[in-house]
Amino acid sequence: MRVKCPYCGDRDVHEFVYRGDAAPVRPAADAGEAAFADYVYLRDNPAGPIAEHWYHAQGCRNWLVVERDTRSHAIAAVRLAREAAR
């Protein structure tokens, strides 16, 4: 699999570290223990398109949001995580 890093260009997937789904949002500090347990431990496992966090450990050391289809591993888009958060 190849990931097109915005800084480094087309790179092998082995240069990256996979973090997981980019969708979960940290609960507010007063949300309670159950909300934090859900945030930490519960994850969807969709078959299809998903936005994921990847870290370019062997390159520019930026966090990326990679939009990937989990069935085919086809990558639709890659952007810097700090730009995706806006």
Side-chain angles (χ1 to χ4, degrees), residues 29-52:
D30 60 352
E33 188 175 320
F36 275 96
D38 289 352
Y39 169 71
V40 172
Y41 297 109
L42 298 182
R43 294 287 185 258
D44 292 331
N45 189 15
I50 185 172
E52 304 168 320

Side-chain angles (χ1 to χ4, degrees), residues 13-37:
V13 72
H14 293 102
E15 291 187 9
F16 297 85
V17 176
Y18 174 78
R19 181 190 167 260
D21 189 355
V25 177
R26 184 183 173 129
D30 60 352
E33 188 175 320
F36 275 96

Side-chain angles (χ1 to χ4, degrees), residues 5-72:
C5 175
Y7 283 118
C8 305
D10 197 28
R11 310 302 278 188
D12 188 80
V13 72
H14 293 102
E15 291 187 9
F16 297 85
V17 176
Y18 174 78
R19 181 190 167 260
D21 189 355
V25 177
R26 184 183 173 129
D30 60 352
E33 188 175 320
F36 275 96
D38 289 352
Y39 169 71
V40 172
Y41 297 109
L42 298 182
R43 294 287 185 258
D44 292 331
N45 189 15
I50 185 172
E52 304 168 320
H53 280 130
W54 289 72
Y55 178 65
H56 197 177
Q58 301 299 318
C60 61
R61 297 182 184 225
N62 277 297
W63 281 98
L64 308 173
V65 174
V66 176
E67 294 178 22
R68 180 178 70 93
D69 189 314
T70 59
R71 295 171 294 202
S72 65

